[in-house]
Amino acid sequence: MRGHDLAMTSRELSKLPARVLAKIEEQRDRSEIFIGWVQSAVIALFAALYFAAPKTFMADAPLQPVPWALAIYAIFTALRLALAYAKRLGPVMLSISVMVDVTLLMVLIWSFHIQYGQPAAFYLKAPTLLYIFIFIALRTLSFSPGYVLFTGIAAATGWLALLAIAISGPEGMDMITRDYVAYMTSSRILVGAEIDKVISILLVSMVLSMAVARANKLLHSAVTEETAAGDLSRFFEAAVAREIVSAEDALKPGEGRQVEAAALFIDLRGFTTQASTMQARDVMALLNEYHSIVVPVVQRNGGSVSTYLGDGVLVTFGAVSQNPTFAADALRAAEQLLDSYDRWADQRRAGGFSPLGIGIGVNHGTVAVGAIGYASRLEFTVIGDSVNTAAKLQNHTKVEQARVLTTVATRDLAVRQGYDATRCGETLSGRVIAGVAQPMDLVEIR
């Protein structure tokens, strides 16, 4: 952090990971850019009001500071905006920015008695002081309570300085009154009224700084949770991560729901044997290469990776996010996995490496989706006979010397859901599958 947040202690900062701090800093940088554009809009508004409004002072008045003040402020704001885009607005520049805001406003108010040829106390009646609340409010946009309070203190100090100048000037003490009517209808000074203005500025600044401090904690919490949710989606399928994050109550073990879904189990043939002769980092690189082929195909067809089992991958369609074409999507994904694998095999041959085999089993049925495990260590999973059968079909591809096997029932359902079964072979009737009680009618996808 570059000192933006005067409310956070070093202990609080140390508890946040660097990537969370980076995101918070990114949010603050955006806020400072937004503040710069708001200040530019305020300058444009002030200029439009000044030049459009009829003038009540003499054209040959000795001092007309408004155009000069607006020009100086415009130049400073442009510089500040450029530094905001360059991410170079450190605490020093932000403090200077606050001082420039307040100083230019106070100088502008001070000049009114000269511009209009009135006693110095005249400027104390200027409603322009209300603009200071704009500057205080602007500082809330950066979620920096320290700067909100600093702006209020600077404004209160500036107004007290103007009051002191008015009182210390010629006949200044003679202008003091306790008559409220005289104060309102002349250039007389009511010290209590000016103190009320100072107190109002300080109280508003304190209330806003307290509100921003609370909002600041919410910002830190929100950014932390957003980062955690982003990290979560790297370890879980995006739909699973969304369900975990958006759940109204914390997920509990044993809770779940039943849905109709398709399960696809894919396994890399010969991986275990080859991995036994490879260095660990080469094994991980091979798995990463393999998964980078599988996952995009799965996601493109609306599937969710439920489990990585080394070289085995369990994928579900319609389980986490319900989908009326889950069976068709699963078989289309199986076909595309074959095509992607063939291209990968060609690349490995071209690189002088032996291609690995592949086996895919697809099945559909009722599955249970939910959290299992212990309260302090949960796993979001999909279980059911159809999932187990998909894994057994994958293993049975070795017996049938096929690469993809599904059941006739799954193929027929997929066709009803819009699947083109052109790549499906003849029915393999009454196949006995290890671990399955009854023979099954299967279909090979080529």
Side-chain angles (χ1 to χ4, degrees), residues 1 13-25 223 227:
M1 303 279 284
L13 284 172
S14 66
K15 293 180 180 178
L16 298 178
R19 64 184 185 281
V20 175
L21 293 176
K23 283 200 172 185
I24 293 175
E25 189 66 28
V223 173
T227 304

Side-chain angles (χ1 to χ4, degrees), residues 340-364:
S340 296
Y341 166 79
D342 288 339
R343 288 191 293 270
W344 183 43
D346 291 339
Q347 292 172 2
R348 286 185 61 82
R349 291 189 190 93
F353 299 100
S354 300
L356 299 171
I358 191 173
I360 301 174
V362 185
N363 190 35
H364 85 282

Side-chain angles (χ1 to χ4, degrees), residues 39-53 66 69-70 73 101 105 108 128 130-132 134-135:
Q39 286 180 315
S40 299
V42 169
I43 293 170
L45 176 62
F46 285 176
L49 291 175
Y50 175 79
F51 291 109
V66 175
L70 289 175
Y73 193 45
D101 289 342
L105 181 61
L108 182 63
T128 312
L130 296 176
Y131 291 157
I132 196 62
I134 297 177
F135 295 132

Side-chain angles (χ1 to χ4, degrees), residues 397-417:
T397 57
K398 303 173 186 175
V399 177
E400 301 291 344
Q401 295 186 343
R403 296 197 296 176
V404 180
L405 287 177
T406 187
T407 63
V408 170
T410 299
R411 188 233 14 223
D412 292 345
L413 176 60
V415 169
R416 292 196 297 273
Q417 294 177 354

